[in-house]
Amino acid sequence: AVFLRFCEGVRIPSKNLGMVQLILLATQRYLIEDIFWGLSQGWHDFVILKARQLGASTALWVLDLFWLLRFPGMQGMYIADDEPNKEIHRDIISEMYKSLPRRFSRGPFRANNRLETTWHDTPAWFSSRLQWAFASKRNEGQLARSRGINYVHGTEMDSWTDRKGVAALTASLADEHPHRLYLWEGTGQGYNLLYQMWEQAGHSVTSRQIFLGFWRLPSYAIEREQRALWDAYGAPRPTPEEAEWGAEVRKRYGVTVTRQQLAWWRWKLAEGKGINGDQAVMLGEYPWLPEHAFQSSGSA
């Protein structure tokens, strides 16, 4: 409830409307509720596998701010896949912070640079800190060395190339702090580090899997009123393969994929730029099931 009130004060960069007040999408609400439920059950480590453009990154950016402002003295680390993304995400999160009303804000930054972001809490050592990093071969094996970390947000993990760094990072993580929280998220994109972490979490007693299929977002749908699109992609009955996928979604997650959502998926498969009917690419970007997300291609 406190987090939801915090969300009401945040303004975010929308790709369609510019800076707007945050109103959680169904996918964002599901993700946040699952994380908080997991925390209530004693989990502190979450591996998040998602389809594209579901708003998950935005929701987690808000959670990054909330967690470090809510609990003093946290030592957090935000890890992107490369330095340009790290800097872009830092700028977005910084602007989100500046949009906060006074009741949630800690005032001006004490430091906000390419290495860290922290605030003017009193005393200064009481303030939380978010350190900025990226996981690439350029700094191989150096993630979080000589640092103690109790909050992590690792993003775009499907593109991480520094596997040794993850081992170094793991050695730096707190395993007893009451407010420790570790979030690892990305899109499948092949048998990579995210795949290994996802599989590990599936057999773990301390990590929780969270899957966000394309069907979690109601707006990914073509309505019957969109006559041309519906006739092409909605009217044909589900294929045996599509029916099998839909049945498995119902069995595992209790969600029925509607004909409108199926029509949207078919349309994106047939006409999506760069997809061009390639089912493996489409499943990797917009999976029905977790195993769909990890598609191997012949490219280097």
Side-chain angles (χ1 to χ4, degrees), residues 233-289:
Y233 302 111
R237 295 180 60 81
T239 66
E241 192 173 42
E242 292 166 345
E244 181 180 354
W245 295 342
E248 193 63 23
V249 170
R250 281 195 302 275
K251 178 181 176 181
R252 294 191 203 179
Y253 304 104
V255 174
T256 297
V257 180
T258 67
R259 290 287 290 273
Q260 289 82 358
Q261 290 175 311
L262 172 59
W264 179 92
W265 195 87
R266 289 170 167 174
W267 165 68
K268 201 73 173 178
L269 169 65
E271 301 189 25
K273 299 296 186 293
I275 298 175
N276 302 322
D278 189 325
Q279 183 170 281
V281 174
M282 184 63 185
L283 288 171
E285 300 281 5
Y286 301 97
W288 295 61
L289 300 164

Side-chain angles (χ1 to χ4, degrees), residues 32-94:
I32 294 300
E33 287 182 349
D34 205 328
I35 291 171
F36 275 90
W37 181 84
L39 287 164
S40 75
Q41 302 302 304
W43 279 300
H44 296 267
D45 189 282
F46 299 85
V47 181
I48 302 159
L49 177 62
K50 57 189 178 67
R52 295 288 305 278
Q53 298 297 306
L54 298 182
S57 294
T58 299
L60 295 178
W61 290 337
V62 178
L63 184 58
D64 295 340
L65 277 177
F66 172 80
W67 208 260
L68 271 66
L69 293 172
R70 175 76 173 172
F71 302 114
M74 297 296 294
Q75 298 300 307
M77 178 168 279
Y78 184 95
I79 310 167
D81 55 330
D82 60 28
E83 189 165 24
N85 274 341
K86 180 204 74 172
E87 286 301 297
I88 291 170
H89 297 172
R90 180 172 73 87
D91 183 64
I92 293 172
I93 294 171
S94 298

Side-chain angles (χ1 to χ4, degrees), residues 22-35:
L22 173 62
I23 300 176
L24 292 177
L25 302 171
T27 47
Q28 295 170 321
R29 181 75 181 237
Y30 173 84
L31 172 60
I32 294 300
E33 287 182 349
D34 205 328
I35 291 171

Side-chain angles (χ1 to χ4, degrees), residues 93-270:
I93 294 171
S94 298
E95 291 304 306
M96 285 181 175
Y97 173 75
K98 293 175 184 177
S99 75
L100 290 174
R102 182 173 298 178
R103 67 183 183 277
F104 295 128
S105 176
R106 294 287 185 271
F109 294 114
R110 182 164 60 88
N112 185 28
N113 53 50
R114 57 187 295 272
L115 298 178
E116 66 170 353
T117 293
T118 187
W119 296 270
H120 278 286
D121 278 1
T122 303
W125 55 263
F126 205 59
S127 63
S128 294
R129 172 181 287 104
L130 185 60
Q131 302 165 63
W132 304 97
F134 59 96
S136 75
K137 291 288 186 180
R138 176 173 155 187
N139 297 311
E140 187 172 17
Q142 299 305 308
L143 275 178
R145 287 197 180 274
S146 302
R147 306 179 195 181
I149 304 297
N150 47 36
Y151 182 94
V152 171
H153 178 182
T155 186
E156 304 296 347
M157 294 199 63
D158 45 285
S159 298
W160 285 22
T161 57
D162 184 9
R163 293 171 183 260
K164 294 180 180 179
V166 176
L169 171 64
T170 301
S172 301
L173 300 183
D175 54 12
E176 295 182 359
H177 194 287
H179 303 307
R180 66 191 184 278
L181 180 57
Y182 308 123
L183 306 166
W184 319 92
E185 49 97 350
T187 311
Q189 305 297 324
Y191 296 96
N192 46 42
L193 179 62
L194 178 62
Y195 172 76
Q196 295 175 0
M197 294 184 71
W198 177 262
E199 290 293 295
Q200 183 186 53
H203 301 94
S204 173
V205 295
T206 56
S207 297
R208 176 170 172 78
Q209 294 175 325
I210 300 179
F211 175 62
L212 298 175
F214 79 94
W215 35 266
R216 285 285 181 196
L217 189 61
S219 63
Y220 279 174
I222 289 175
E223 303 299 333
R224 296 175 186 272
E225 291 75 16
Q226 299 171 271
R227 180 55 58 189
L229 286 173
W230 180 260
D231 289 346
Y233 302 111
R237 295 180 60 81
T239 66
E241 192 173 42
E242 292 166 345
E244 181 180 354
W245 295 342
E248 193 63 23
V249 170
R250 281 195 302 275
K251 178 181 176 181
R252 294 191 203 179
Y253 304 104
V255 174
T256 297
V257 180
T258 67
R259 290 287 290 273
Q260 289 82 358
Q261 290 175 311
L262 172 59
W264 179 92
W265 195 87
R266 289 170 167 174
W267 165 68
K268 201 73 173 178
L269 169 65

